[in-house]
Amino acid sequence: MKSKSIYVRMLNLRREFGMFWGLAAGFIYMTLVFIGGIIGYMWLEGWNFLNSFYMVVITLSTVGFMEVLPLSENGRIMTALLILGGVGGFAYLIGAFSQLLVEGRLQVILGRRRMKKTIGKFKDHIIVCGYGRIGAIVVEEVMNEGYDIVVIENNPELVAHMEAAGITCLEGDATKDDTLKLAGLDRAKSLIAALSDEAANVYVTLIARQFSSKVNIIARGNNKTSISRLEFAGADRVVLPHTIGGIRMAQSVLRPTVTNFLDIAMRGKIDLQMEELFVTDTSEFVGQDLIESKIRPRFNLIIIAIRKHTGEMVFNPGPKEVIGAGDTLLTVGKLTDLSAIQKIL
C-alpha cells in the first residue's frame, strides 16, 4: 500500500510540474544525493556537519581539492559513488534543460506567460469554452468581427494549434473556477459554452452565472430537453447546433433565395450586412420617430425590427415608431453606412 501511495504521489507531482518535470526530478535527485553524502560522512567518518558539508561540495563540484580529513576505505567507496551519482545527476539536468530549449518548450512557456498578461488587459471580451468542431467555427466568426477573445481548452494538441495560429487561449478545465477567473470572466462581455459534453456546459453556465450576473451566457445544447436545464443554470440563450443545421438544410430546399440572401448578408460576402445597433442614453435619436431620425435618407439603412428596452420586438416598424434609450435597431445596409451610424449611436 505504501509503495502504491508513493507512486500516486509521484504521478501527481509529474502532472503538476508538467514540462518542467525533467528539471524538477533532476533537482530532487541532486538534493537527495547531497543530503545522503552529508549523512554518509557523518556516519562513516564521524565528522561534524560543517566538514561533511564541505566535503560533499568539493566532491560534487569536482574542483580537485584535497580531502578535509583522511578517509577510511568505506569513506573512499562512498566518495566514489558520490562522484558517479553527482556527475550523472548534473548530466541529467543539462540534458533536461537542453530538451526544453531544443524542443521549443521554453519559448512555449514564455509565450503562455505573455498570453496571460494579454488576457489581463482584456475588457468586454468574449470567452469561448471548448475548441471542438462548434467552438472552432465560433472562434473564427468572432475573430473575423474584430472582437477580443479567450478560448479555454484542455486538449494540449488543440492548444498548440491555437497558439501557432495566434489565438489567445488558456489550457485548462473550463468547469473550474480558477480557469474562468484567469480568462477574465469578471471583465468579459459574453461567455460561450461550446463543450461537447452537455453536463459540462451546464456546470460552466452555473459557475459563470454565480460569478457574474452581468455576463451574457450562450450555451450549447444537444436536444430540446437541454434548453430548460441550461436556462435554469443561468444561460441567456441556448443554441442547438443539430436542430439549427437541420432547419437550415430544410430552408435551403424550401426557400433557397431567402436562405442564400441571409447567408450573404450575415457572412459579409458582399458590401451588405445585417447588424444590430444599440441606442445609448446620449444618442441624438432618443425620443425621435423613424421619420424624424432620417436614418434611411442619411445613412441608407433599412430598419427591419426594433427590440425595445422592455424586451418587446417590433417587426417592420412604422414611420411613427419612437426610438427609445436602450432600444436595439436591427438594420440592413452597407458596411460603411453601418460604421457611420455607430459613431452617432
Side-chain angles (χ1 to χ4, degrees):
M1 291 295 292
K2 289 184 178 180
S3 60
K4 186 177 181 180
S5 176
I6 294 173
Y7 178 73
V8 172
R9 290 178 182 177
M10 292 295 291
L11 285 178
N12 292 334
L13 281 174
R14 186 163 188 170
R15 293 193 193 97
E16 183 177 349
F17 282 101
M19 62 181 68
F20 283 109
W21 170 247
L23 286 175
F27 279 115
I28 293 172
Y29 170 77
M30 289 302 300
T31 301
L32 293 176
V33 170
F34 198 90
I35 295 174
I38 294 175
I39 295 174
Y41 284 122
M42 294 178 69
W43 178 50
L44 293 175
E45 302 297 332
W47 296 351
N48 59 31
F49 174 80
L50 183 60
N51 287 336
S52 300
F53 175 83
Y54 182 72
M55 186 65 186
V56 172
V57 170
I58 64 174
T59 301
L60 291 180
S61 61
T62 63
V63 294
F65 290 172
M66 294 183 63
E67 294 88 351
V68 178
L69 296 171
L71 290 171
S72 64
E73 291 185 359
N74 291 334
R76 291 178 179 178
I77 293 173
M78 196 201 75
T79 302
L81 294 175
L82 189 63
I83 293 173
L84 293 175
V87 171
F90 281 122
Y92 179 83
L93 279 173
I94 294 172
F97 184 73
S98 299
Q99 185 180 18
L100 281 175
L101 294 178
V102 172
E103 294 183 358
R105 294 184 179 181
L106 191 60
Q107 287 83 350
V108 171
I109 296 168
L110 296 175
R112 290 181 180 177
R113 288 184 177 178
R114 287 195 297 268
M115 194 169 290
K116 288 182 179 179
K117 290 182 179 179
T118 301
I119 295 172
K121 299 177 183 178
F122 282 170
K123 187 177 181 181
D124 292 333
H125 58 288
I126 297 174
I127 300 174
V128 178
C129 301
Y131 192 71
R133 290 178 297 177
I134 302 298
I137 297 174
V138 172
V139 171
E140 181 181 1
E141 292 292 326
V142 173
M143 291 186 66
N144 287 340
E145 293 292 331
Y147 286 94
D148 291 328
I149 191 169
V150 177
V151 185
I152 301 175
E153 175 58 55
N154 59 2
N155 187 328
E157 294 181 0
L158 293 178
V159 171
H161 173 76
M162 285 188 285
E163 289 174 342
I167 300 173
T168 307
C169 58
L170 284 175
E171 182 178 354
D173 188 354
T175 61
K176 293 185 177 180
D177 300 32
D178 294 340
T179 307
L180 291 174
K181 290 178 181 178
L182 282 175
L185 181 59
D186 56 330
R187 306 181 308 275
K189 177 182 179 181
S190 300
L191 180 141
I192 300 175
L195 300 169
S196 57
D197 185 7
E198 183 181 316
N201 284 330
V202 173
Y203 199 66
V204 169
T205 302
L206 188 63
I207 295 175
R209 181 53 68 210
Q210 289 180 342
F211 191 78
S212 174
S213 59
K214 296 181 180 180
V215 66
N216 181 37
I217 301 176
I218 310 299
R220 170 189 174 181
N222 294 332
N223 48 60
K224 292 183 179 179
T225 59
S226 311
I227 298 176
S228 58
R229 287 194 292 266
L230 288 165
E231 288 181 344
F232 184 76
D236 295 289
R237 186 174 181 182
V238 180
V239 177
L240 308 177
H242 299 294
T243 302
I244 292 176
I247 294 173
R248 185 63 178 275
M249 293 176 70
Q251 293 299 321
S252 297
V253 174
L254 299 174
R255 300 173 183 85
T257 304
V258 174
T259 304
N260 290 338
F261 171 77
L262 292 175
D263 183 61
I264 291 173
M266 293 302 294
R267 290 184 173 273
K269 294 180 179 179
I270 59 175
D271 190 16
L272 181 69
Q273 185 168 333
M274 298 181 66
E275 188 61 86
E276 57 180 62
L277 305 174
F278 181 76
V279 182
T280 63
D281 297 339
T282 58
S283 174
E284 66 180 61
F285 298 131
V286 175
Q288 297 180 352
D289 58 32
L290 293 180
I291 293 181
E292 293 173 336
S293 67
K294 298 180 181 180
I295 292 177
R296 178 63 185 273
R298 288 176 61 187
F299 303 100
N300 196 27
L301 297 176
I302 301 174
I303 308 297
I304 59 177
I306 299 177
R307 185 179 184 273
K308 309 298 290 184
H309 66 278
T310 58
E312 176 190 1
M313 184 70 75
V314 180
F315 294 99
N316 191 23
K320 292 298 183 181
E321 187 69 37
V322 178
I323 301 173
D327 291 351
T328 302
L329 310 180
L330 276 66
T331 62
V332 177
K334 295 182 178 180
L335 296 176
T336 53
D337 296 330
L338 289 168
S339 299
I341 194 174
Q342 282 177 338
K343 296 178 182 179
I344 298 177
L345 291 172

